[in-house]
């Protein structure tokens, strides 16, 4: 029994702590093992999150397709409702024209927003950095 304990303790007797040298020799191995295990854990976690994100993205896409069909059905209903008052061709023309007007308005607003965002350079930060550079140049010349 004493032989087993001494073997488990690296040849030391019971109750002896490892020396600083022994601990220093074990440190690189333990650090590399810890890093490998942490990387393995991170990889596993990212794989699980990626699967969940993929499933969620698929559900979002499916919901978008179903919503598109729903809008198409509502448009068909609007055309059919107008056929009670107008001929079918006129009803379709009115609904189509209204859709084109809405899409033109949205495209115009979107174009305006994109132009406001251009150029994609942080202009305020750029001006601030240029002012800082000028200030530093002035102070160096003094």
């Amino acid at each position: 029994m004493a032989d087993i304990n001494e073997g488990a303790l690296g040849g030391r007797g019971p109750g002896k702590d490892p020396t600083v040298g022994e601990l220093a020799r074990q440190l690189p191995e333990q650090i590399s093992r810890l890093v490998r295990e942490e990387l393995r854990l991170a990889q596993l976690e990212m794989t699980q999150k990626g699967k969940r994100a993929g499933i969620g993205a698929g559900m979002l896409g499916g919901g978008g397709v179903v919503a598109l069909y729903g809008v198409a059905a509502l448009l068909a209903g609007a055309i059919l409702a107008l056929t009670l008052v107008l001929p079918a061709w006129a009803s379709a023309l009115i609904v189509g024209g209204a859709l084109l007007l809405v899409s033109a308005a949205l495209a115009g607003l979107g174009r305006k927003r994109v132009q406001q965002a251009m150029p994609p350079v942080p202009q305020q930060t750029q001006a601030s950095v240029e002012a800082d550079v000028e200030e530093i140049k002035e102070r160096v010349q003094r």
Side-chain angles (χ1 to χ4, degrees):
M1 181 95 168
D3 292 335
I4 294 173
N5 286 341
E6 285 182 26
L9 296 172
R12 294 182 308 275
K16 289 191 174 182
D17 291 332
T19 65
V20 174
E22 290 172 341
L23 291 174
R25 281 191 298 274
Q26 293 173 1
L27 187 62
E29 177 190 333
Q30 290 178 351
I31 289 175
S32 66
R33 185 172 2 130
L34 176 64
V35 168
R36 281 193 306 270
E37 288 176 4
E38 289 293 340
L39 288 173
R40 194 175 306 127
L41 177 63
Q43 181 182 15
L44 179 64
E45 183 179 357
M46 293 306 294
T47 301
Q48 290 173 348
K49 286 185 177 189
K51 286 179 184 178
R52 279 192 223 121
I55 291 170
M59 289 177 159
L60 278 173
V65 168
V66 171
L68 183 64
Y69 285 127
V71 168
L74 289 175
L75 290 173
I79 292 170
L80 291 175
L82 281 175
T83 60
L84 298 175
V85 186
L86 298 169
W89 66 268
S91 300
L93 191 64
I94 289 170
V95 171
L99 286 172
L100 287 176
L101 287 174
V102 169
S103 70
L106 289 173
L109 290 172
R111 183 173 181 257
K112 186 177 178 181
R113 288 281 178 108
V114 168
Q115 286 176 343
Q116 288 174 348
M118 292 297 172
V121 176
Q123 293 173 329
Q124 292 177 343
T125 304
Q126 185 178 9
S128 175
V129 168
E130 288 173 359
D132 291 344
V133 169
E134 287 300 319
E135 180 73 24
I136 291 170
K137 284 181 183 179
E138 288 177 12
R139 290 188 185 234
V140 167
Q141 290 175 354
R142 288 184 196 168

